[in-house]
Amino acid sequence: MILRHYGEINSMRMAFVDLETTGGVATRDRIIEVAIVVTEDGQEVERWSSLVDPEQPLSPFIVRYTGISDQMLRDAPLFATVADKVAELTDDALFVAHNSRFDYGFLKNEFRRLKRPWQATALCTVKLSRALYPQHNKHNLDIIIQRHQLPQVTRHRAMGDVDAMLAFYRHAQSELGCDKVAQQVAILTQRPSLPPGLAPDLFDQLPAAPGVYRFFDDDGALIYVGKSVNLYQRVSSHFSGHHSTSKGHQMTDRVRHIEWTQTAGELTALLQELHEIKQHRPFFNGQLKPVKKVVSLQLQSDERGYHRIVFTEQIDPLCLADYFGTFRSKNQANKALTGLATSHRLCLRLLQLEAGDGACFGYQLGECQGPCCGQESAELWNLRLGLALNSMKLTQWPWQQPMVLIEEDSFSDLRSFHLIDHWVLLQSCDSAEALQPTDLQACLDAGSTEFELDRYKLLSSYLLGGGKRLTVQPLDEFVRSRDG
């Protein structure tokens, strides 16, 4: 269905749909209830719902979430039995659902299992609410019901959620006007244009979930790796036609195949993206090219007790507080030190920026307080230098032992476990049983791991940034709870 003008929307056929399922992964989980209300010219013309036998047991979480039990589904029809009815009600209708990617994806996969074609133009009422009421931050169905004082319904049952969606749509038309709502519907149902060779139903398959995606050209070469907390939105944005650079146009023009991996959360996606970029070095991932060399600064006392700057390319992750700054070259480090010298009146000679003995040139110009020639005490110089470098100090590991970072999505049943020590990733796995305690010092001694700047920046900023959906557990506590 192609919406040519928003004026058509007010009179078109619309199917308001909601599903309840055994989980959140459309390719694995199954539908347990479906409800559809069809409207034409704004008037309800048909209402239908049915429980569906998923041919798999329900988890305790789904039973609590929906109130549907295995016993209730015992005599329910298979999806194959109700497929004709679903197809009939959604045929040539605008498919409307709250978080439509979820419901649409499940129906698409159910029809795919039956080897039947099924497709529709979808409208997400979450996005519609955001577009029509941008002053509000939250747009889940419970909030929408409360905000607009809509009639109460039985939540997390299919027909109850359909009634809530339909009530919201009609309320928005009444409050804002049918034309304004129709304009936003027309905008939200525009689909990105795909380059030749990509499957027309590509966006129907992408999950609205965290993960990593990969673009390949017509030779099968990997040309780009990306990550997102919403794969559908991020991948489709590449083909929206609103590229900020010509490089973006060049990349999407070359894409002939797309793959993706759904992850348990954002951190797992970030780590996997970084690993794949380092491993494969795709052409269009210029900003995340591997750092071949890292230069950092340390302090070393001379025979008089004055701290001097020394450069190092070997960073010991067990002693990060002894290092200042990370630079891609010694020249970049020198520029940073020159800036510090100017702003803090530091001695260029003790910063290793000027050779020679005795009073430096800056002291003669009044730009140095004289540690080079004994006019400033070692105690005062060391204090001033430490204060000047303090903002550049690397972030010390804040725990006394290795930590296990756990990401899980109970709805999709995906889990990831990352063993981290001193910002070094020692192990990643998808099950608690697969994670084995590993000693960082032994790994460093064996040369099997090392300090990696990109991972250090990613992990330190992510973990210390706050507000992340992540469980951080000491390794010994994790092992006790797992094995006990």
Side-chain angles (χ1 to χ4, degrees):
M1 174 186 293
I2 299 175
L3 306 180
R4 294 179 176 82
H5 187 268
Y6 69 84
E8 300 175 3
I9 295 169
N10 293 325
S11 60
M12 71 183 303
R13 177 181 170 88
M14 304 177 77
F16 291 80
V17 182
D18 187 75
L19 309 175
E20 303 303 328
T21 66
T22 62
V25 181
T27 54
R28 180 197 66 200
D29 296 308
R30 304 296 295 273
I31 294 171
I32 59 176
E33 187 177 35
V34 56
I36 304 174
V37 171
V38 179
T39 66
E40 292 180 4
D41 294 321
Q43 301 300 312
E44 182 177 322
V45 296
E46 188 164 357
R47 171 179 292 256
W48 173 83
S49 68
S50 176
L51 292 171
V52 178
D53 180 1
E55 301 180 274
Q56 58 183 246
L58 304 183
S59 70
F61 171 79
I62 294 299
V63 173
R64 291 193 303 270
Y65 186 74
T66 65
I68 299 172
S69 65
D70 289 312
Q71 185 176 4
M72 294 169 62
L73 300 175
R74 187 170 299 159
D75 298 322
L78 298 174
F79 183 81
T81 305
V82 302
D84 286 342
K85 186 65 175 178
V86 173
E88 172 196 330
L89 294 176
T90 57
D91 182 47
D92 199 30
L94 179 63
F95 182 96
V96 187
H98 207 67
N99 187 13
S100 62
R101 297 301 310 160
F102 178 87
D103 300 86
Y104 188 95
F106 267 86
L107 283 177
K108 187 73 175 178
N109 275 278
E110 290 285 8
F111 278 104
R112 187 177 286 120
R113 292 184 185 103
L114 299 175
K115 295 181 171 54
R116 290 183 55 173
W118 179 84
Q119 196 165 357
T121 299
L123 169 67
C124 177
T125 50
V126 175
K127 294 180 181 178
L128 182 62
S129 179
R130 287 175 183 154
L132 295 174
Y133 299 96
Q135 68 272 30
H136 299 298
N137 294 323
K138 296 183 178 180
H139 300 271
N140 63 62
L141 211 46
D142 287 320
I143 293 293
I144 287 175
I145 292 170
Q146 180 182 7
R147 178 186 300 143
H148 301 292
Q149 298 181 335
L150 304 178
Q152 292 299 311
V153 297
T154 304
R155 287 286 286 114
H156 308 303
R157 289 299 301 269
M159 189 55 79
D161 289 350
V162 166
D163 283 335
M165 276 190 294
L166 186 54
F168 163 68
Y169 189 82
R170 287 173 171 167
H171 171 83
Q173 287 181 313
S174 174
E175 183 175 57
L176 304 175
C178 290
D179 284 352
K180 182 172 182 179
V181 174
Q183 282 179 305
Q184 288 300 328
V185 171
I187 292 170
L188 293 172
T189 52
Q190 291 176 350
R191 292 174 68 88
S193 58
L194 289 171
L198 290 180
D201 64 346
L202 170 71
F203 296 113
D204 297 340
Q205 304 172 44
L206 284 162
V212 174
Y213 61 95
R214 308 163 193 87
F215 290 166
F216 298 84
D217 64 14
D218 52 7
D219 293 324
L222 179 64
I223 60 174
Y224 185 76
V225 174
K227 66 86 191 171
S228 179
V229 294
N230 188 318
L231 285 169
Y232 168 75
Q233 287 185 356
R234 184 67 186 111
V235 175
S236 60
S237 72
H238 282 286
F239 303 95
S240 65
H242 302 295
H243 298 293
S244 58
T245 64
S246 60
K247 193 172 183 179
H249 280 292
Q250 295 172 21
M251 180 178 72
T252 53
D253 286 345
R254 288 177 55 181
V255 176
R256 294 296 179 270
H257 177 63
I258 298 176
E259 294 179 359
W260 61 87
T261 303
Q262 186 175 339
T263 61
E266 182 184 19
L267 177 62
T268 304
L270 284 164
L271 289 170
Q272 187 167 331
E273 176 199 38
L274 182 61
H275 170 74
E276 293 189 21
I277 290 172
K278 284 177 173 289
Q279 183 178 32
H280 302 292
R281 302 186 67 177
F283 178 78
F284 287 100
N285 284 107
Q287 292 184 340
L288 276 176
K289 287 182 179 178
V291 179
K292 295 180 180 179
K293 180 175 67 173
V294 177
V295 176
S296 191
L297 310 175
Q298 287 184 287
L299 297 177
Q300 189 177 81
S301 294
D302 63 15
E303 65 280 0
R304 300 178 302 146
Y306 287 86
H307 286 169
R308 291 175 177 266
I309 291 291
V310 293
F311 299 92
T312 180
E313 295 180 12
Q314 300 296 324
I315 297 178
D316 182 352
L318 295 171
C319 305
L320 289 180
D322 295 339
Y323 299 89
F324 302 90
T326 54
F327 309 94
R328 296 180 183 272
S329 66
K330 187 175 179 180
N331 184 52
Q332 190 182 72
N334 283 337
K335 288 182 179 179
L337 287 173
T338 301
L340 283 180
T342 302
S343 57
H344 294 273
R345 298 187 67 209
L346 300 179
C347 177
L348 295 177
R349 184 160 295 159
L350 296 187
L351 295 181
Q352 301 287 50
L353 297 174
E354 180 182 308
D357 297 314
C360 70
F361 186 64
Y363 179 71
Q364 301 173 43
L365 298 177
E367 297 172 354
C368 166
Q369 297 186 23
C372 46
C373 56
Q375 295 303 304
E376 181 179 30
S377 69
E379 292 77 13
L380 182 56
W381 161 256
N382 293 344
L383 175 63
R384 289 201 309 113
L385 178 58
L387 290 173
L389 291 170
N390 188 62
S391 64
M392 298 168 57
K393 183 180 292 187
L394 299 194
T395 303
Q396 184 74 347
W397 181 246
W399 294 284
Q400 298 300 312
Q401 62 171 298
M403 306 297 284
V404 180
L405 316 184
I406 307 169
E407 275 194 315
E408 52 187 330
D409 181 350
S410 57
F411 207 60
S412 66
D413 204 27
L414 291 173
R415 306 177 79 195
S416 291
F417 302 83
H418 308 286
L419 178 59
I420 313 289
D421 193 7
H422 289 79
W423 308 121
V424 175
L425 177 62
L426 297 175
Q427 192 178 156
S428 289
C429 51
D430 295 331
S431 70
E433 293 71 26
L435 191 141
Q436 299 297 322
T438 304
D439 182 72
L440 174 60
Q441 185 64 67
C443 291
L444 293 170
D445 293 342
S448 58
T449 191
E450 60 183 356
F451 177 83
E452 291 187 30
L453 178 59
D454 290 328
R455 276 203 186 126
Y456 158 77
K457 288 182 176 180
L458 189 163
L459 290 168
S460 59
S461 63
Y462 194 92
L463 280 178
L464 302 180
K468 310 296 184 183
R469 295 181 59 184
L470 194 70
T471 299
V472 182
Q473 193 172 17
L475 176 61
D476 57 2
E477 181 182 315
F478 171 83
V479 172
R480 281 198 305 272
S481 62
R482 180 193 64 182
D483 300 341

